Amino acid sequence: MTKNIKITTEYITLTQLLKEENIISSGGQAKYYLMDFPVLLNGETENRRGKKLYNHDEITVDGENYVISLADNADEMIAATQEEKAERAAAAKKTVRNDRIKAQKAAVAKERKEARFAELRKKNGTRAGGFGRSNQGGRGAGPKGPGSWNSNR
């Protein structure tokens, strides 16, 4: 007996067919099912779970025959899906552009901040990362550190 599978998109994958017909319970099982059980697509053995099944394709699974056919309003639904896809792509492009602009603004602000701090350090005679310690005067009076701790001089 041949079972008609109505689709509302341009194609479905072999995994989607197997899940829709309750042959497998999850997409992860498709790989192992196809290794263990032969599936025929238009009379030829098919073992790719992501194989796209189009209108008028004939699939044989476990002795059951399936024929892919478009639903009555499939053309409208396909057009609507393509429009949505184009809108999502435009929105993603806009988001990427906005993120790039934000990154550029942040880089400019960072440069300004660094330049302002460099100017303050130069004006106050401090060094970078020194938290206000002066560049003048060297290291201080006398040696510091483990070498000087044990000497009695």
Side-chain angles (χ1 to χ4, degrees):
M1 180 181 155
T2 300
K3 188 170 182 182
N4 226 359
I5 306 295
K6 300 243 183 230
I7 60 173
T8 57
T9 58
E10 186 179 354
Y11 62 87
I12 63 169
T13 63
L14 185 54
T15 300
Q16 289 172 326
L17 172 73
L18 296 174
K19 283 174 54 179
E20 189 68 31
E21 294 303 312
N22 293 322
I23 297 169
I24 59 172
S25 59
S26 73
Q29 293 177 338
K31 178 179 179 181
Y32 302 105
Y33 183 86
L34 293 172
M35 282 194 291
D36 295 338
F37 301 98
V39 173
L40 299 178
L41 172 63
N42 299 325
E44 296 182 15
T45 304
E46 184 59 60
N47 60 3
R48 295 175 290 177
R49 62 183 180 197
K51 176 65 178 165
K52 295 176 181 176
L53 307 175
Y54 294 94
N55 193 20
H56 303 298
D57 278 347
E58 296 178 14
I59 300 95
T60 304
V61 180
D62 250 359
E64 289 282 328
N65 292 324
Y66 301 94
V67 175
I68 306 296
S69 60
L70 291 175
D72 296 334
N73 62 345
D75 292 333
E76 297 168 7
M77 296 183 90
I78 290 170
T81 303
Q82 289 175 344
E83 280 181 32
E84 289 175 15
K85 189 176 180 181
E87 288 173 6
R88 283 195 306 267
K93 192 174 185 179
K94 185 176 181 180
T95 301
V96 168
R97 189 186 74 220
N98 289 345
D99 289 347
R100 188 179 306 127
I101 290 170
K102 285 180 186 176
Q104 288 172 346
K105 286 181 179 179
V108 168
K110 184 178 179 182
E111 284 180 29
R112 285 185 190 144
K113 183 178 179 182
E114 288 173 357
R116 190 170 60 240
F117 281 129
E119 187 178 316
L120 286 173
R121 283 192 299 271
K122 187 176 180 182
K123 178 181 173 185
N124 296 334
T126 57
R127 59 183 181 188
F131 300 107
R133 295 187 310 189
S134 174
N135 283 337
Q136 300 143 356
R139 296 197 58 121
K144 291 184 172 56
S148 64
W149 294 346
N150 296 328
S151 65
N152 292 330
R153 296 184 208 177

